[in-house]
Amino acid sequence: MRLRRIRRIATCLLAAMAGLFLAARLLQPQYPWLGFVAAFAEAAMVGGLADWFAVTALFRHPLGLPIPHTAIIPRNKDRIGANIAEFLEHNFITPEVVRNELKDVDLAGVCARWLALEANNRAVAERIVGTIPAVLNMIEDRDAASFVGGTLASSLKDVKLAPLMGQVLQVLVANGQHVRLLQKVLGLVGNALEENRGYIRQKVHDHSPKWMPKMVDEKFYERLMDGIQSILDDMADEQGEWRERFQSAIAELIEKLEQSPQYEAKLRGLLARGITHPLFREYVAGVWADIRARLHAASESPESRLLLRTQAALRIFSTALEQNDTVRTKLNDWLKSFATEAIVERRSLIVAVVQKVIDKWDADTIAQKLELHVGSDLQFIRINGTLVGGVVGVLLYALSLGLGRF
């Protein structure tokens, strides 16, 4: 440990000065010049001992003696904690300091480059996909149905359904889509009749009296089919009466939808009954259960399409973010503003944590921690004090000899 090594050096230097002093004093009668050495060693011991006392008094009682104004840090632990917290709050966690520290940091660029690495990209994608089961398990099938129904009802609460449907029909009519739809329906009906002729014939025979001759049944069946086909042909004729009736009915329906409150009320009633109907809830619950099962399976597979698509989306996002300077600048401004506000607004909590941790430490713990961090530098004060004291001692000794000659 560096502290122990420097402390040992300072102590050994002090001991060396004591030994040098004794040796110089013993030999000074034979070698008068050793008076300078003795003066250096004596003053060095005084300086070293004084600085040893000062440094030791910060953390503990020197030699275990309860000398007043020693063990300064342990005795003032709570006050030191409060002062450190206040110093941090008013000198480090300020808007100016935080904003200046974040000024040159490209947060968005760092994020984009970090996401561009394959390992990081996959780790983030796995984390996103891995949270899906937990989120899905929080939502029951019935809750999903209630949510969809409630959301649909609240979303359409202020929407006029009848006029909206009337406008949709107007667009269809303007583009001739209603005619195409009618022709499509007529074609489906015609095909259905043609494909089910045998079934219809059998039904006619089954519902005819037993005494009815089969030939009469056949005639009735043929006239029935011819009549239906004739009606379908008339409806398909663009110049026929059926088409005029269809056009008039559509126009009348559009007008009533736009103007009649009764149609609005009817549509509202149909919507309310549909949303609250058990079949609707069962259908939504079934759809949600299917979606949940698929997402569960996708999240559990190490190479699922969901994971690969999430990775691809993150890759596209990181590339676009790194290449688009405008977006990156705006995102950086937002992140820096958010970080500054978040840190400054919570600085009281931050310093409270610092003060709380310091308050929990006992006196010996805080003394040991501070000595561990600054003690090695303080040991250099002992070394410097020893050497500087020695130099001052030589100067004073020389001055005293000079004054003695006058």
Side-chain angles (χ1 to χ4, degrees):
M1 183 184 291
R2 184 170 182 267
L3 172 60
R4 188 176 302 170
R5 180 172 59 85
I6 302 300
R7 181 189 293 161
R8 189 180 297 116
I9 292 173
T11 303
C12 290
L13 180 61
L14 181 61
M17 291 300 103
L20 182 62
F21 173 74
L22 291 175
R25 282 299 186 189
L26 291 174
L27 297 175
Q28 186 177 354
Q30 301 178 20
Y31 306 99
W33 59 268
L34 287 176
F36 287 94
V37 176
F40 176 87
E42 182 180 10
M45 282 192 299
V46 174
L49 286 171
D51 287 335
W52 166 81
F53 182 89
V55 170
T56 304
L58 288 172
F59 305 104
R60 63 187 66 84
H61 295 295
L63 301 177
L65 300 175
I67 302 173
H69 304 293
T70 59
I72 296 173
I73 291 175
R75 287 192 304 104
N76 297 276
K77 175 180 71 70
D78 295 336
R79 185 164 60 86
I80 291 173
N83 290 338
I84 291 176
E86 185 178 359
F87 183 76
L88 287 174
E89 181 176 4
H90 297 290
N91 294 277
F92 285 90
I93 315 176
T94 63
E96 295 76 16
V97 172
V98 176
R99 194 178 298 114
N100 187 60
E101 290 298 319
L102 295 176
K103 179 178 62 176
D104 298 326
V105 180
D106 184 11
L107 298 174
V110 170
C111 177
R113 289 188 291 274
W114 186 84
L115 273 179
L117 298 177
E118 186 64 24
N120 299 334
N121 180 284
R122 184 174 181 86
V124 174
E126 287 177 348
R127 183 62 61 89
I128 293 174
V129 174
T131 59
I132 291 177
V135 175
L136 296 178
N137 290 333
M138 294 170 60
I139 306 175
E140 298 291 338
D141 296 345
R142 288 177 297 178
D143 296 336
S146 300
F147 174 77
V148 172
T151 303
L152 187 60
S154 61
S155 300
L156 297 177
K157 180 177 63 176
D158 299 326
V159 178
K160 296 293 184 180
L161 299 179
L164 177 62
M165 186 172 292
Q167 292 175 7
V168 172
L169 285 177
Q170 279 186 339
V171 173
L172 293 176
V173 170
N175 295 328
Q177 298 296 329
H178 68 303
V179 175
R180 296 188 184 91
L181 180 60
L182 175 63
Q183 292 174 342
K184 187 69 175 179
V185 172
L186 294 176
L188 291 174
V189 174
N191 292 335
L193 287 173
E194 190 64 30
E195 293 173 358
N196 294 278
R197 278 182 171 273
Y199 176 78
I200 297 173
R201 179 185 287 110
Q202 185 62 44
K203 285 297 181 180
V204 170
H205 292 329
D206 292 343
H207 288 80
S208 295
K210 294 183 179 180
W211 50 265
M212 183 75 69
K214 192 172 183 179
M215 182 178 64
V216 176
D217 285 347
E218 284 294 329
K219 287 291 185 181
F220 177 76
Y221 162 73
E222 290 177 0
R223 289 187 177 182
L224 175 64
M225 297 300 293
D226 291 342
I228 295 174
Q229 188 61 50
S230 177
I231 293 174
L232 293 177
D233 292 340
D234 289 342
M235 295 178 69
D237 184 8
E238 296 183 1
Q239 304 300 326
E241 183 182 355
W242 279 98
R243 181 61 58 86
E244 292 181 2
R245 292 181 181 179
F246 175 69
Q247 294 283 14
S248 299
I250 291 293
E252 184 179 356
L253 177 61
I254 292 174
E255 182 179 358
K256 289 183 177 180
L257 286 172
E258 291 180 341
Q259 300 177 2
S260 175
Q262 288 80 8
Y263 274 75
E264 177 68 21
K266 289 180 181 179
L267 288 176
R268 288 284 176 190
L270 287 174
L271 177 63
R273 289 193 295 272
I275 291 175
T276 57
H277 198 280
L279 289 178
F280 174 79
R281 293 182 174 272
E282 290 178 8
Y283 175 76
V284 174
V287 172
W288 171 247
D290 182 61
I291 293 174
R292 185 169 61 182
R294 291 176 182 271
L295 290 176
H296 265 293
S299 63
E300 293 171 358
S301 175
E303 297 296 335
S304 65
R305 293 176 62 187
L306 179 61
L307 178 61
L308 296 177
R309 288 181 178 178
T310 305
Q311 279 188 268
L314 290 173
R315 198 176 297 113
I316 293 172
F317 171 76
S318 64
T319 302
L321 187 59
E322 190 169 6
Q323 294 178 352
N324 194 318
D325 294 337
T326 303
V327 173
R328 192 169 66 253
T329 300
K330 290 183 178 180
L331 183 58
N332 270 328
D333 292 341
W334 180 84
L335 288 173
K336 292 173 184 178
S337 176
F338 174 78
T340 301
E341 292 178 3
I343 293 173
V344 173
E345 288 179 0
R346 291 161 180 80
R347 62 180 176 179
S348 59
L349 297 177
I350 297 173
V351 299
V353 171
V354 173
Q355 185 170 355
K356 187 176 181 181
V357 172
I358 295 177
D359 290 343
K360 287 182 178 179
W361 291 342
D362 55 36
D364 293 335
T365 300
I366 190 171
Q368 290 172 3
K369 288 182 178 293
L370 289 176
E371 187 177 13
L372 184 63
H373 285 85
V374 301
S376 58
D377 294 322
L378 294 177
Q379 297 305 315
F380 279 108
I381 294 178
R382 292 179 56 193
I383 296 173
N384 294 334
T386 302
L387 299 176
V388 171
V391 172
V392 172
V394 169
L395 293 176
L396 292 175
Y397 180 73
L399 181 62
S400 65
L401 289 180
L403 292 176
R405 293 184 179 184
F406 292 101

PDB file of all heavy atoms in Angstrom, residues 142-173:
ATOM      1  N   ARG A 142     -59.491 -11.600 -20.949  1.00  0.00           N
ATOM      2  CA  ARG A 142     -60.692 -10.789 -20.723  1.00  0.00           C
ATOM      3  C   ARG A 142     -60.344  -9.306 -20.593  1.00  0.00           C
ATOM      4  O   ARG A 142     -61.097  -8.436 -21.023  1.00  0.00           O
ATOM      5  CB  ARG A 142     -61.403 -11.268 -19.453  1.00  0.00           C
ATOM      6  CG  ARG A 142     -62.097 -12.620 -19.615  1.00  0.00           C
ATOM      7  CD  ARG A 142     -62.721 -13.082 -18.325  1.00  0.00           C
ATOM      8  NE  ARG A 142     -61.706 -13.295 -17.299  1.00  0.00           N
ATOM      9  CZ  ARG A 142     -61.977 -13.661 -16.042  1.00  0.00           C
ATOM     10  NH1 ARG A 142     -63.226 -13.824 -15.658  1.00  0.00           N
ATOM     11  NH2 ARG A 142     -60.990 -13.849 -15.177  1.00  0.00           N
ATOM     12  N   ASP A 143     -59.190  -9.042 -19.971  1.00  0.00           N
ATOM     13  CA  ASP A 143     -58.755  -7.649 -19.864  1.00  0.00           C
ATOM     14  C   ASP A 143     -58.500  -7.052 -21.245  1.00  0.00           C
ATOM     15  O   ASP A 143     -58.799  -5.880 -21.488  1.00  0.00           O
ATOM     16  CB  ASP A 143     -57.491  -7.558 -19.016  1.00  0.00           C
ATOM     17  CG  ASP A 143     -57.745  -7.989 -17.583  1.00  0.00           C
ATOM     18  OD1 ASP A 143     -58.910  -7.911 -17.156  1.00  0.00           O
ATOM     19  OD2 ASP A 143     -56.785  -8.411 -16.910  1.00  0.00           O
ATOM     20  N   ALA A 144     -57.910  -7.857 -22.143  1.00  0.00           N
ATOM     21  CA  ALA A 144     -57.649  -7.372 -23.496  1.00  0.00           C
ATOM     22  C   ALA A 144     -58.958  -7.044 -24.213  1.00  0.00           C
ATOM     23  O   ALA A 144     -59.073  -6.026 -24.900  1.00  0.00           O
ATOM     24  CB  ALA A 144     -56.859  -8.415 -24.289  1.00  0.00           C
ATOM     25  N   ALA A 145     -59.953  -7.929 -24.052  1.00  0.00           N
ATOM     26  CA  ALA A 145     -61.245  -7.675 -24.694  1.00  0.00           C
ATOM     27  C   ALA A 145     -61.895  -6.415 -24.138  1.00  0.00           C
ATOM     28  O   ALA A 145     -62.432  -5.595 -24.882  1.00  0.00           O
ATOM     29  CB  ALA A 145     -62.161  -8.886 -24.486  1.00  0.00           C
ATOM     30  N   SER A 146     -61.835  -6.241 -22.814  1.00  0.00           N
ATOM     31  CA  SER A 146     -62.417  -5.044 -22.207  1.00  0.00           C
ATOM     32  C   SER A 146     -61.672  -3.790 -22.652  1.00  0.00           C
ATOM     33  O   SER A 146     -62.279  -2.750 -22.913  1.00  0.00           O
ATOM     34  CB  SER A 146     -62.371  -5.162 -20.679  1.00  0.00           C
ATOM     35  OG  SER A 146     -63.103  -6.285 -20.239  1.00  0.00           O
ATOM     36  N   PHE A 147     -60.337  -3.915 -22.753  1.00  0.00           N
ATOM     37  CA  PHE A 147     -59.541  -2.766 -23.184  1.00  0.00           C
ATOM     38  C   PHE A 147     -59.885  -2.367 -24.610  1.00  0.00           C
ATOM     39  O   PHE A 147     -60.070  -1.182 -24.906  1.00  0.00           O
ATOM     40  CB  PHE A 147     -58.057  -3.111 -23.068  1.00  0.00           C
ATOM     41  CG  PHE A 147     -57.154  -2.055 -23.632  1.00  0.00           C
ATOM     42  CD1 PHE A 147     -56.906  -0.897 -22.922  1.00  0.00           C
ATOM     43  CD2 PHE A 147     -56.569  -2.217 -24.879  1.00  0.00           C
ATOM     44  CE1 PHE A 147     -56.078   0.097 -23.444  1.00  0.00           C
ATOM     45  CE2 PHE A 147     -55.742  -1.244 -25.410  1.00  0.00           C
ATOM     46  CZ  PHE A 147     -55.500  -0.084 -24.683  1.00  0.00           C
ATOM     47  N   VAL A 148     -59.964  -3.355 -25.513  1.00  0.00           N
ATOM     48  CA  VAL A 148     -60.284  -3.054 -26.913  1.00  0.00           C
ATOM     49  C   VAL A 148     -61.669  -2.439 -27.023  1.00  0.00           C
ATOM     50  O   VAL A 148     -61.879  -1.437 -27.723  1.00  0.00           O
ATOM     51  CB  VAL A 148     -60.169  -4.323 -27.774  1.00  0.00           C
ATOM     52  CG1 VAL A 148     -60.697  -4.051 -29.189  1.00  0.00           C
ATOM     53  CG2 VAL A 148     -58.730  -4.793 -27.838  1.00  0.00           C
ATOM     54  N   GLY A 149     -62.632  -3.047 -26.303  1.00  0.00           N
ATOM     55  CA  GLY A 149     -63.981  -2.509 -26.353  1.00  0.00           C
ATOM     56  C   GLY A 149     -64.064  -1.102 -25.798  1.00  0.00           C
ATOM     57  O   GLY A 149     -64.686  -0.216 -26.394  1.00  0.00           O
ATOM     58  N   GLY A 150     -63.430  -0.875 -24.636  1.00  0.00           N
ATOM     59  CA  GLY A 150     -63.446   0.450 -24.038  1.00  0.00           C
ATOM     60  C   GLY A 150     -62.746   1.484 -24.890  1.00  0.00           C
ATOM     61  O   GLY A 150     -63.207   2.618 -25.034  1.00  0.00           O
ATOM     62  N   THR A 151     -61.595   1.089 -25.455  1.00  0.00           N
ATOM     63  CA  THR A 151     -60.845   2.013 -26.313  1.00  0.00           C
ATOM     64  C   THR A 151     -61.639   2.369 -27.563  1.00  0.00           C
ATOM     65  O   THR A 151     -61.684   3.531 -27.984  1.00  0.00           O
ATOM     66  CB  THR A 151     -59.500   1.392 -26.713  1.00  0.00           C
ATOM     67  OG1 THR A 151     -58.770   1.053 -25.531  1.00  0.00           O
ATOM     68  CG2 THR A 151     -58.692   2.357 -27.559  1.00  0.00           C
ATOM     69  N   LEU A 152     -62.264   1.357 -28.158  1.00  0.00           N
ATOM     70  CA  LEU A 152     -63.063   1.592 -29.360  1.00  0.00           C
ATOM     71  C   LEU A 152     -64.238   2.512 -29.062  1.00  0.00           C
ATOM     72  O   LEU A 152     -64.531   3.449 -29.819  1.00  0.00           O
ATOM     73  CB  LEU A 152     -63.551   0.261 -29.928  1.00  0.00           C
ATOM     74  CG  LEU A 152     -64.258   0.293 -31.277  1.00  0.00           C
ATOM     75  CD1 LEU A 152     -63.333   0.847 -32.355  1.00  0.00           C
ATOM     76  CD2 LEU A 152     -64.742  -1.098 -31.666  1.00  0.00           C
ATOM     77  N   ALA A 153     -64.905   2.259 -27.929  1.00  0.00           N
ATOM     78  CA  ALA A 153     -66.057   3.085 -27.577  1.00  0.00           C
ATOM     79  C   ALA A 153     -65.646   4.525 -27.283  1.00  0.00           C
ATOM     80  O   ALA A 153     -66.298   5.471 -27.735  1.00  0.00           O
ATOM     81  CB  ALA A 153     -66.767   2.481 -26.368  1.00  0.00           C
ATOM     82  N   SER A 154     -64.558   4.702 -26.515  1.00  0.00           N
ATOM     83  CA  SER A 154     -64.118   6.064 -26.190  1.00  0.00           C
ATOM     84  C   SER A 154     -63.595   6.798 -27.417  1.00  0.00           C
ATOM     85  O   SER A 154     -63.758   8.017 -27.538  1.00  0.00           O
ATOM     86  CB  SER A 154     -63.037   6.010 -25.106  1.00  0.00           C
ATOM     87  OG  SER A 154     -61.913   5.279 -25.562  1.00  0.00           O
ATOM     88  N   SER A 155     -62.961   6.049 -28.343  1.00  0.00           N
ATOM     89  CA  SER A 155     -62.427   6.686 -29.547  1.00  0.00           C
ATOM     90  C   SER A 155     -63.541   7.175 -30.462  1.00  0.00           C
ATOM     91  O   SER A 155     -63.399   8.201 -31.132  1.00  0.00           O
ATOM     92  CB  SER A 155     -61.529   5.701 -30.304  1.00  0.00           C
ATOM     93  OG  SER A 155     -60.439   5.289 -29.499  1.00  0.00           O
ATOM     94  N   LEU A 156     -64.641   6.436 -30.496  1.00  0.00           N
ATOM     95  CA  LEU A 156     -65.745   6.791 -31.388  1.00  0.00           C
ATOM     96  C   LEU A 156     -66.819   7.617 -30.692  1.00  0.00           C
ATOM     97  O   LEU A 156     -67.851   7.911 -31.297  1.00  0.00           O
ATOM     98  CB  LEU A 156     -66.373   5.512 -31.959  1.00  0.00           C
ATOM     99  CG  LEU A 156     -65.455   4.638 -32.829  1.00  0.00           C
ATOM    100  CD1 LEU A 156     -66.182   3.376 -33.262  1.00  0.00           C
ATOM    101  CD2 LEU A 156     -64.969   5.413 -34.046  1.00  0.00           C
ATOM    102  N   LYS A 157     -66.567   7.994 -29.420  1.00  0.00           N
ATOM    103  CA  LYS A 157     -67.587   8.696 -28.646  1.00  0.00           C
ATOM    104  C   LYS A 157     -67.972  10.019 -29.293  1.00  0.00           C
ATOM    105  O   LYS A 157     -69.156  10.375 -29.349  1.00  0.00           O
ATOM    106  CB  LYS A 157     -67.062   8.922 -27.227  1.00  0.00           C
ATOM    107  CG  LYS A 157     -68.051   9.646 -26.317  1.00  0.00           C
ATOM    108  CD  LYS A 157     -67.482   9.773 -24.912  1.00  0.00           C
ATOM    109  CE  LYS A 157     -66.229  10.627 -24.921  1.00  0.00           C
ATOM    110  NZ  LYS A 157     -65.695  10.861 -23.545  1.00  0.00           N
ATOM    111  N   ASP A 158     -66.993  10.745 -29.771  1.00  0.00           N
ATOM    112  CA  ASP A 158     -67.250  12.074 -30.346  1.00  0.00           C
ATOM    113  C   ASP A 158     -67.341  12.049 -31.869  1.00  0.00           C
ATOM    114  O   ASP A 158     -67.353  13.109 -32.500  1.00  0.00           O
ATOM    115  CB  ASP A 158     -66.143  13.042 -29.915  1.00  0.00           C
ATOM    116  CG  ASP A 158     -66.083  13.207 -28.404  1.00  0.00           C
ATOM    117  OD1 ASP A 158     -67.148  13.156 -27.775  1.00  0.00           O
ATOM    118  OD2 ASP A 158     -64.961  13.372 -27.869  1.00  0.00           O
ATOM    119  N   VAL A 159     -67.368  10.867 -32.443  1.00  0.00           N
ATOM    120  CA  VAL A 159     -67.443  10.736 -33.903  1.00  0.00           C
ATOM    121  C   VAL A 159     -68.895  10.512 -34.322  1.00  0.00           C
ATOM    122  O   VAL A 159     -69.578   9.649 -33.768  1.00  0.00           O
ATOM    123  CB  VAL A 159     -66.561   9.569 -34.396  1.00  0.00           C
ATOM    124  CG1 VAL A 159     -66.677   9.408 -35.919  1.00  0.00           C
ATOM    125  CG2 VAL A 159     -65.109   9.794 -33.994  1.00  0.00           C
ATOM    126  N   LYS A 160     -69.349  11.288 -35.280  1.00  0.00           N
ATOM    127  CA  LYS A 160     -70.688  11.102 -35.838  1.00  0.00           C
ATOM    128  C   LYS A 160     -70.628   9.951 -36.844  1.00  0.00           C
ATOM    129  O   LYS A 160     -70.093  10.089 -37.947  1.00  0.00           O
ATOM    130  CB  LYS A 160     -71.177  12.381 -36.519  1.00  0.00           C
ATOM    131  CG  LYS A 160     -71.362  13.562 -35.576  1.00  0.00           C
ATOM    132  CD  LYS A 160     -72.493  13.315 -34.594  1.00  0.00           C
ATOM    133  CE  LYS A 160     -72.739  14.536 -33.720  1.00  0.00           C
ATOM    134  NZ  LYS A 160     -73.848  14.308 -32.755  1.00  0.00           N
ATOM    135  N   LEU A 161     -71.167   8.810 -36.449  1.00  0.00           N
ATOM    136  CA  LEU A 161     -71.029   7.599 -37.264  1.00  0.00           C
ATOM    137  C   LEU A 161     -71.833   7.675 -38.556  1.00  0.00           C
ATOM    138  O   LEU A 161     -71.333   7.298 -39.619  1.00  0.00           O
ATOM    139  CB  LEU A 161     -71.459   6.378 -36.441  1.00  0.00           C
ATOM    140  CG  LEU A 161     -70.639   6.110 -35.169  1.00  0.00           C
ATOM    141  CD1 LEU A 161     -71.194   4.888 -34.451  1.00  0.00           C
ATOM    142  CD2 LEU A 161     -69.174   5.897 -35.510  1.00  0.00           C
ATOM    143  N   ALA A 162     -73.073   8.112 -38.455  1.00  0.00           N
ATOM    144  CA  ALA A 162     -73.936   8.130 -39.645  1.00  0.00           C
ATOM    145  C   ALA A 162     -73.400   9.063 -40.729  1.00  0.00           C
ATOM    146  O   ALA A 162     -73.271   8.655 -41.895  1.00  0.00           O
ATOM    147  CB  ALA A 162     -75.370   8.499 -39.256  1.00  0.00           C
ATOM    148  N   PRO A 163     -73.088  10.334 -40.422  1.00  0.00           N
ATOM    149  CA  PRO A 163     -72.505  11.188 -41.464  1.00  0.00           C
ATOM    150  C   PRO A 163     -71.198  10.637 -42.013  1.00  0.00           C
ATOM    151  O   PRO A 163     -70.917  10.778 -43.214  1.00  0.00           O
ATOM    152  CB  PRO A 163     -72.289  12.520 -40.739  1.00  0.00           C
ATOM    153  CG  PRO A 163     -73.277  12.519 -39.630  1.00  0.00           C
ATOM    154  CD  PRO A 163     -73.354  11.085 -39.182  1.00  0.00           C
ATOM    155  N   LEU A 164     -70.401  10.022 -41.151  1.00  0.00           N
ATOM    156  CA  LEU A 164     -69.144   9.445 -41.620  1.00  0.00           C
ATOM    157  C   LEU A 164     -69.403   8.324 -42.620  1.00  0.00           C
ATOM    158  O   LEU A 164     -68.756   8.245 -43.676  1.00  0.00           O
ATOM    159  CB  LEU A 164     -68.337   8.916 -40.431  1.00  0.00           C
ATOM    160  CG  LEU A 164     -67.013   8.217 -40.773  1.00  0.00           C
ATOM    161  CD1 LEU A 164     -66.066   9.190 -41.460  1.00  0.00           C
ATOM    162  CD2 LEU A 164     -66.377   7.623 -39.522  1.00  0.00           C
ATOM    163  N   MET A 165     -70.352   7.469 -42.290  1.00  0.00           N
ATOM    164  CA  MET A 165     -70.695   6.393 -43.225  1.00  0.00           C
ATOM    165  C   MET A 165     -71.287   6.965 -44.509  1.00  0.00           C
ATOM    166  O   MET A 165     -71.034   6.442 -45.609  1.00  0.00           O
ATOM    167  CB  MET A 165     -71.679   5.425 -42.564  1.00  0.00           C
ATOM    168  CG  MET A 165     -71.996   4.198 -43.391  1.00  0.00           C
ATOM    169  SD  MET A 165     -72.986   2.981 -42.487  1.00  0.00           S
ATOM    170  CE  MET A 165     -71.800   2.455 -41.262  1.00  0.00           C
ATOM    171  N   GLY A 166     -72.060   8.041 -44.388  1.00  0.00           N
ATOM    172  CA  GLY A 166     -72.607   8.673 -45.581  1.00  0.00           C
ATOM    173  C   GLY A 166     -71.502   9.214 -46.475  1.00  0.00           C
ATOM    174  O   GLY A 166     -71.556   9.081 -47.713  1.00  0.00           O
ATOM    175  N   GLN A 167     -70.477   9.817 -45.882  1.00  0.00           N
ATOM    176  CA  GLN A 167     -69.357  10.327 -46.679  1.00  0.00           C
ATOM    177  C   GLN A 167     -68.594   9.199 -47.356  1.00  0.00           C
ATOM    178  O   GLN A 167     -68.155   9.335 -48.498  1.00  0.00           O
ATOM    179  CB  GLN A 167     -68.426  11.131 -45.769  1.00  0.00           C
ATOM    180  CG  GLN A 167     -69.037  12.424 -45.254  1.00  0.00           C
ATOM    181  CD  GLN A 167     -68.135  13.124 -44.258  1.00  0.00           C
ATOM    182  OE1 GLN A 167     -67.007  12.714 -44.037  1.00  0.00           O
ATOM    183  NE2 GLN A 167     -68.640  14.207 -43.655  1.00  0.00           N
ATOM    184  N   VAL A 168     -68.445   8.080 -46.650  1.00  0.00           N
ATOM    185  CA  VAL A 168     -67.774   6.925 -47.259  1.00  0.00           C
ATOM    186  C   VAL A 168     -68.568   6.432 -48.463  1.00  0.00           C
ATOM    187  O   VAL A 168     -67.993   6.129 -49.531  1.00  0.00           O
ATOM    188  CB  VAL A 168     -67.590   5.805 -46.215  1.00  0.00           C
ATOM    189  CG1 VAL A 168     -67.073   4.531 -46.881  1.00  0.00           C
ATOM    190  CG2 VAL A 168     -66.635   6.246 -45.118  1.00  0.00           C
ATOM    191  N   LEU A 169     -69.870   6.347 -48.308  1.00  0.00           N
ATOM    192  CA  LEU A 169     -70.705   5.909 -49.429  1.00  0.00           C
ATOM    193  C   LEU A 169     -70.633   6.892 -50.590  1.00  0.00           C
ATOM    194  O   LEU A 169     -70.649   6.480 -51.763  1.00  0.00           O
ATOM    195  CB  LEU A 169     -72.159   5.742 -48.961  1.00  0.00           C
ATOM    196  CG  LEU A 169     -72.456   4.496 -48.111  1.00  0.00           C
ATOM    197  CD1 LEU A 169     -73.914   4.512 -47.654  1.00  0.00           C
ATOM    198  CD2 LEU A 169     -72.168   3.225 -48.906  1.00  0.00           C
ATOM    199  N   GLN A 170     -70.573   8.178 -50.283  1.00  0.00           N
ATOM    200  CA  GLN A 170     -70.456   9.173 -51.356  1.00  0.00           C
ATOM    201  C   GLN A 170     -69.173   8.964 -52.159  1.00  0.00           C
ATOM    202  O   GLN A 170     -69.170   9.071 -53.392  1.00  0.00           O
ATOM    203  CB  GLN A 170     -70.471  10.586 -50.755  1.00  0.00           C
ATOM    204  CG  GLN A 170     -71.854  11.110 -50.437  1.00  0.00           C
ATOM    205  CD  GLN A 170     -71.811  12.553 -49.986  1.00  0.00           C
ATOM    206  OE1 GLN A 170     -70.791  13.041 -49.546  1.00  0.00           O
ATOM    207  NE2 GLN A 170     -72.948  13.238 -50.096  1.00  0.00           N
ATOM    208  N   VAL A 171     -68.086   8.676 -51.473  1.00  0.00           N
ATOM    209  CA  VAL A 171     -66.822   8.424 -52.170  1.00  0.00           C
ATOM    210  C   VAL A 171     -66.940   7.186 -53.041  1.00  0.00           C
ATOM    211  O   VAL A 171     -66.487   7.165 -54.199  1.00  0.00           O
ATOM    212  CB  VAL A 171     -65.681   8.270 -51.138  1.00  0.00           C
ATOM    213  CG1 VAL A 171     -64.394   7.845 -51.840  1.00  0.00           C
ATOM    214  CG2 VAL A 171     -65.463   9.574 -50.385  1.00  0.00           C
ATOM    215  N   LEU A 172     -67.566   6.138 -52.519  1.00  0.00           N
ATOM    216  CA  LEU A 172     -67.744   4.909 -53.306  1.00  0.00           C
ATOM    217  C   LEU A 172     -68.604   5.156 -54.539  1.00  0.00           C
ATOM    218  O   LEU A 172     -68.307   4.664 -55.633  1.00  0.00           O
ATOM    219  CB  LEU A 172     -68.375   3.824 -52.426  1.00  0.00           C
ATOM    220  CG  LEU A 172     -67.514   3.301 -51.272  1.00  0.00           C
ATOM    221  CD1 LEU A 172     -68.300   2.307 -50.435  1.00  0.00           C
ATOM    222  CD2 LEU A 172     -66.244   2.636 -51.812  1.00  0.00           C
ATOM    223  N   VAL A 173     -69.673   5.928 -54.344  1.00  0.00           N
ATOM    224  CA  VAL A 173     -70.567   6.210 -55.465  1.00  0.00           C
ATOM    225  C   VAL A 173     -69.862   7.067 -56.514  1.00  0.00           C
ATOM    226  O   VAL A 173     -69.987   6.844 -57.722  1.00  0.00           O
ATOM    227  CB  VAL A 173     -71.851   6.909 -54.962  1.00  0.00           C
ATOM    228  CG1 VAL A 173     -72.681   7.425 -56.140  1.00  0.00           C
ATOM    229  CG2 VAL A 173     -72.679   5.945 -54.122  1.00  0.00           C
TER     230      VAL A 173
END
